[in-house]
């Protein structure tokens, strides 16, 4: 199923406008989905990010790695303005989605988050049934005109998240009753259900056991066909397994960014080398 | 005597504490790390073994001794008192005690003088005996404890176990008080139900206990059970409670939502305590606010619409009571709404939900059990409220659901039944206990429901 077919009308219109304005490509020819330019973030007096320039390539998995407190999650949360909920947080610089500045006052943050979905570190299903968890997003955005249509969206989202076979007989059971790995895939299904273009994942496997982690990683690899994915991870093996591009952050600075293969075999920066070889972090 | 001894024991306790502490230091030559328990625990241990048994004896002795002395005196003066009934015996003993220890004496005679002498002797025996026993206990306890103090002695365990027993005793006081109150309610109610059938009481629709007695004099004992129908009171209570909840639930809940999710930090810091001050206003103040301001306002407004509003109306009392319980609803709901994990709010926001969608569809459903229990607590509070209703809703036991009329509630009737000079064995006064029991059962039921609701849904988020 192609991306454009699942895109909701609102997002499709926005994407069209954006495509006319700027269909930017990187130097090596990959189309750019999101772009951060000179992104600085302050929490009160403390600066957490320093002039980060990072391109997120369309339909690729970009991994953000780095030691704790390096600003990778902060950058991730800037991409769908989740930092807005933190009072003391200030964001400077430009972040664009298909050429549109997402911090522009004319941008509706609700619309933005429908296009840039998010999966959190700890699985956080709502205390509702599995069906209601997935149907939540489509309902608030009015994506389904009828109950059968909504059923289809829910089933399709669960299928894409690789959870459908496990839960199809108990869609009315509470989502909180699933195992940790299933809960996280439910949260991914919930994010997919609103047909986002970009999915942000903030250490999605850190609360999961190895088997559940493997399933989620496999899923991320499949989702790459239709979605642009940005994933924050502490596990370098995970970054190596699932991502095409890797960005290494250290102390609020983007140290280096490049194809994952090169990054792990042939890092350009000394700090990157120290981190991936486990000298610190 | 009792207080003097208590004071002495307190002094001894302080001394024992310091003695135990310094002793523990002495036996290890100041090297405290060799002690199993810290020196203060050794002090506490010595206090416990020195003072606790003596205090126990003091309390038991003080309660038991007067009774024992009474019965000893009675058995000694058997020749005089054998023919007396219980009231006369009480008078005899009271007078004798008054002669012995000072007080107002009815009249004196030889028998009483004799009994008074006996009282004096026994009382002095008892005091000497108690003092000796206690001094022995204190001395033995102190010596035992002092010699027991050793580096490996587990003083901390003794102190902690004693503390635990003490804490358990304190909670037992609350529990036994509750049981006592319930039992007294039940027994008095049983007396009432002997005169008025339970069925007539619970399902009767006519309430006017002031006219309970037909005739006068000897015939006054006949009770007309048909005028003890509690239904009008229950309906009045429910009506006023309903109005109160209709006022308090939306206002309280919406202000809780504002405070927890919309208000900025400084606004919240001011608004929450101010709202809670509402709970600190004495209900009698609410009462005259209802009677002097709200009720006339409603009456005037009703008249301008062509409605006849009685000057004491269920509406006025209910609205003011609703205002009174707003802080219960808002404060408790605010707490449970705040307890909904931020991750759920983030998850909803991350899907592109607006703040109000998040609150309506995620936060409130997750907080629902807590909100329900807050509401039920507020309802229990409203049902038990008296003062506002006495002042604003009237005393007339009308069986009506029209909020513009005067009604009365269970609590108000309990008050009116018990004020003034009353015999405590007439159906009229006993009816108050039956009403109390009824009220207790209703609020108990509501509390059980609240607990059940909370338990059932508590584990839903984590």
């Amino acid at each position: 199923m192609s991306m454009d077919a699942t895109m909701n009308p609102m997002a499709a219109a926005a994407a069209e406008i954006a495509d006319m304005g700027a269909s930017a490509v990187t130097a090596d020819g990959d189309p750019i989905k999101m772009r951060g330019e000179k992104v600085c973030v302050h929490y009160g007096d403390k600066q957490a990010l320093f002039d980060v320039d990072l391109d997120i390539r369309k339909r690729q998995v970009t991994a953000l790695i780095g030691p704790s407190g390096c600003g990778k999650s902060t950058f991730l949360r800037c991409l769908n303005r989740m930092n807005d909920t933190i009072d003391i947080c200030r964001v400077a610089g430009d972040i664009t989605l298909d050429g549109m500045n997402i911090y522009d006052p004319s941008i509706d943050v609700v619309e933005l988050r429908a296009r840039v979905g998010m999966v959190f570190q700890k699985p956080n299903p709502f205390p509702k049934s599995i069906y209601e968890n997935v149907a939540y997003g489509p309902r608030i955005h009015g994506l389904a005109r009828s109950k059968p249509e909504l059923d289809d969206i829910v089933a399709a989202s669960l299928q894409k998240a690789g959870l459908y076979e496990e839960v199809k007989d108990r869609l009315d059971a509470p989502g909180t009753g699933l195992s940790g790995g299933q809960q996280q895939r439910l949260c991914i299904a919930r994010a997919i259900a609103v047909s986002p273009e970009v999915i942000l994942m903030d250490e999605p496997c850190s609360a999961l056991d190895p088997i559940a982690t493997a399933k989620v990683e496999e899923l991320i690899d499949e989702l790459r066909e239709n979605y642009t994915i940005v994933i924050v991870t502490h596990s370098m093996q995970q970054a190596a397994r699932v991502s095409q591009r890797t960005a290494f952050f250290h102390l609020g600075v983007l140290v280096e960014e490049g194809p994952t293969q090169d990054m792990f075999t042939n890092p350009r920066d000394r700090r990157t080398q120290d981190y991936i070889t486990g000298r610190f972090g | 005597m009792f207080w003097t001894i208590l004071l002495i024991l307190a002094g001894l306790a302080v001394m024992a504490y310091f003695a135990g502490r310094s002793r523990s230091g002495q036996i290890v030559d100041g090297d405290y790390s060799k002690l199993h328990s810290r020196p203060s625990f050794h002090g506490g241990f010595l206090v416990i073994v020195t003072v606790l048994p003596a205090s126990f004896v003091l309390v038991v002795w003080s309660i038991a001794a007067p009774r024992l002395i009474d019965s000893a005196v009675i058995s000694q003066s058997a020749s005089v008192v054998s023919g007396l009934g219980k009231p006369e015996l009480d008078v005899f003993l009271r007078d004798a005690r008054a002669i012995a220890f000072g007080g107002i004496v009815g009249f004196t005679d030889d028998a009483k003088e004799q009994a008074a002498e006996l009282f004096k002797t026994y009382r002095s025996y008892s005091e000497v005996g108690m003092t000796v026993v206690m001094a022995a206990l204190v001395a033995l306890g102190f010596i035992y404890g002092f010699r027991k103090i050793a580096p490996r002695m587990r003083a901390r365990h003794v102190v902690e176990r004693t503390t635990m027993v003490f804490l358990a005793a304190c909670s037992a006081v609350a529990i036994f008080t509750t049981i006592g109150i319930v039992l007294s309610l039940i027994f008095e109610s049983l007396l009432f139900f002997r005169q008025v059938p339970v069925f007539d009481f619970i399902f009767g629709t006519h309430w006017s206990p002031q006219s309970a007695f037909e005739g006068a004099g000897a015939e006054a004992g006949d009770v007309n059970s048909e005028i003890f129908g509690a239904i009008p009171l229950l309906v009045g209570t429910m009506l006023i409670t309903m109005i109160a909840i209709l006022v308090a639930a939306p206002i309280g809940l919406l202000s809780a939502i504002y405070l927890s999710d919309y208000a900025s930090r400084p606004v919240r810091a001011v608004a929450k305590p101010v709202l809670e001050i509402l709970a600190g206003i004495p209900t009698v103040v609410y009462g005259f606010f209802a009677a002097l301001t709200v009720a006339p306002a409603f009456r005037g407004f009703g008249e301008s619409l062509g409605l006849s509003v009685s000057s004491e109306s269920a509406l006025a009392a209910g609205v003011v009571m609703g205002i009174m319980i707003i802080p219960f609803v808002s404060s408790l709901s605010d707490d449970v709404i705040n307890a909904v994990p931020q991750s759920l709010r983030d998850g909803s926001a991350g899907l592109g939900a607006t703040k109000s969608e998040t609150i309506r569809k995620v936060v409130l459903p997750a907080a629902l059990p807590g909100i329900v229990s807050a509401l039920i607590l507020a309802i229990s509070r409203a049902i038990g409220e008296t003062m506002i209703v006495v002042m604003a809703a009237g005393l007339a036991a009308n069986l009506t659901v029209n909020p513009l009329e005067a009604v009365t509630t269970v609590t108000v009737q309990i008050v009116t039944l018990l004020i003034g000079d009353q015999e405590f064995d007439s159906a009229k006064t006993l009816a108050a206990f039956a009403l109390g029991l009824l009220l207790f059962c209703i609020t108990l039921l509501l509390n059980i429901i609240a607990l059940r609701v909370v338990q059932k849904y508590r584990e839903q988020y984590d």
Side-chain angles (χ1 to χ4, degrees), chain B residues 12 25 44 122-123 187 303 310 313 343 402 406 457:
Chain B
L12 286 172
Y122 287 136
R123 164 80 78 100
F187 285 123
E303 270 168 1
S310 101
S313 65
S343 67
N402 180 357
Y457 295 101

Side-chain angles (χ1 to χ4, degrees), chain B residues 31-50:
Chain B
D31 183 4
Y32 289 113
S33 61
K34 282 189 188 149
L35 287 174
H36 167 269
S37 309
R38 306 296 307 139
S40 59
F41 283 112
H42 285 281
F45 166 74
L46 201 55
V47 170
I48 289 167
V49 293
T50 308

Side-chain angles (χ1 to χ4, degrees), chain A residues 82 110 113 116-118 120 122 124-128 136 140-141 176 190-191, chain B residues 343-344 346-354 357-358 361-362 365-366 460 462:
Chain A
M82 281 304 281
V110 165
R113 288 182 191 151
V116 184
M118 187 150 189
F120 295 83
K122 204 176 150 231
N124 57 349
F126 302 132
K128 300 172 185 286
Y136 180 80
I140 58 177
H141 293 297
T176 43
R190 190 172 73 179
Chain B
S343 67
L344 289 184
D346 285 348
S348 176
L351 292 171
T354 63
E357 281 166 343
T358 302
K361 298 189 171 161
V362 175
Q460 278 214 341
D462 208 354

Side-chain angles (χ1 to χ4, degrees), chain A residues 24 52 62 71 73 81 100 134 153 167 232 237 258 261 275:
Chain A
V52 173
T62 306
S73 286
R81 294 180 57 178
M100 272 187 326
V134 183
I153 293 177
V167 301
V232 164
Q237 290 86 340
Q261 282 259 291
Y275 182 68

Side-chain angles (χ1 to χ4, degrees), chain B residues 377-452:
Chain B
L377 279 183
I379 291 174
S380 320
R381 180 70 212 257
I383 288 177
E385 172 51 36
T386 316
M387 223 47 230
I388 295 174
V389 196
V390 172
M391 296 169 86
L395 300 172
N398 293 326
L399 180 53
T400 175
V401 288
N402 180 357
L404 304 179
E405 278 182 44
V407 296
T408 192
T409 67
V410 176
T411 50
V412 170
Q413 287 306 313
I414 293 176
V415 172
T416 52
L417 288 173
L418 290 181
I419 47 179
D421 292 334
Q422 304 284 359
E423 326 168 50
F424 262 79
D425 52 358
S426 78
K428 194 180 137 194
T429 36
L430 288 174
F433 290 96
L435 287 179
L437 187 65
L438 190 64
L439 202 58
F440 174 77
C441 291
I442 293 172
T443 46
L444 184 71
L445 198 70
L446 286 175
N447 281 328
I448 289 172
I449 294 172
L451 277 179
R452 276 288 151 81

Side-chain angles (χ1 to χ4, degrees), chain B residues 43-247:
Chain B
F45 166 74
L46 201 55
V47 170
I48 289 167
V49 293
T50 308
V51 173
L52 211 63
S55 314
F56 186 70
V57 167
L58 175 68
V59 171
V60 173
W61 199 299
S62 303
I63 293 170
R67 280 147 229 264
L68 292 176
I69 294 173
D70 278 1
S71 61
V73 171
I74 291 169
S75 63
Q76 289 284 310
S77 350
S79 56
V80 189
V81 298
S82 58
L84 298 178
K86 192 174 170 358
E88 287 98 346
L89 184 63
D90 281 346
V91 168
F92 176 81
L93 288 173
R94 196 171 61 219
D95 281 351
R97 267 199 298 265
I99 295 164
F101 312 120
I104 299 160
V105 184
F107 63 96
T108 4
D109 58 28
D110 284 349
K112 282 183 188 166
E113 296 276 4
Q114 250 172 6
E117 282 306 311
L118 285 171
F119 264 117
K120 272 189 191 160
T121 357
Y122 287 136
R123 164 80 78 100
S124 63
Y125 286 166
S126 151
E127 281 177 1
V128 170
M130 183 166 77
T131 316
V132 168
V133 169
M134 286 180 56
L137 278 175
V138 167
L140 284 175
F142 185 80
I143 292 163
Y144 165 78
F146 197 79
R147 293 170 56 137
K148 190 97 202 271
I149 289 175
R152 302 310 304 164
M153 208 270 294
R154 304 190 164 201
R156 174 159 48 83
H157 295 190
V158 175
V159 172
E160 280 173 356
R161 215 162 294 153
T162 313
T163 312
M164 202 264 292
V165 170
F166 182 71
L167 296 179
C170 287
S171 56
V173 168
I175 291 167
F176 285 120
T177 312
T178 313
I179 292 174
I181 290 173
V182 173
L183 286 183
S184 88
L185 270 182
I186 288 174
F187 285 123
E188 300 290 347
S189 303
L190 284 179
L191 287 180
F192 173 73
F193 290 133
R194 215 173 282 157
Q195 297 179 42
V196 177
V198 183
F199 190 83
D200 285 359
F201 174 70
I202 295 179
F203 296 104
T205 56
H206 184 64
W207 177 265
S208 57
Q210 307 301 339
S211 52
F213 309 101
E214 295 159 338
E219 293 159 29
D222 293 343
V223 174
N224 177 3
S225 69
E226 278 170 17
I227 57 164
F228 283 103
I231 288 282
L233 309 186
L234 286 179
V235 171
T237 306
M238 290 304 153
L239 180 63
I240 289 181
T241 307
M242 193 88 86
I243 295 169
I245 286 300
L246 285 179
V247 171

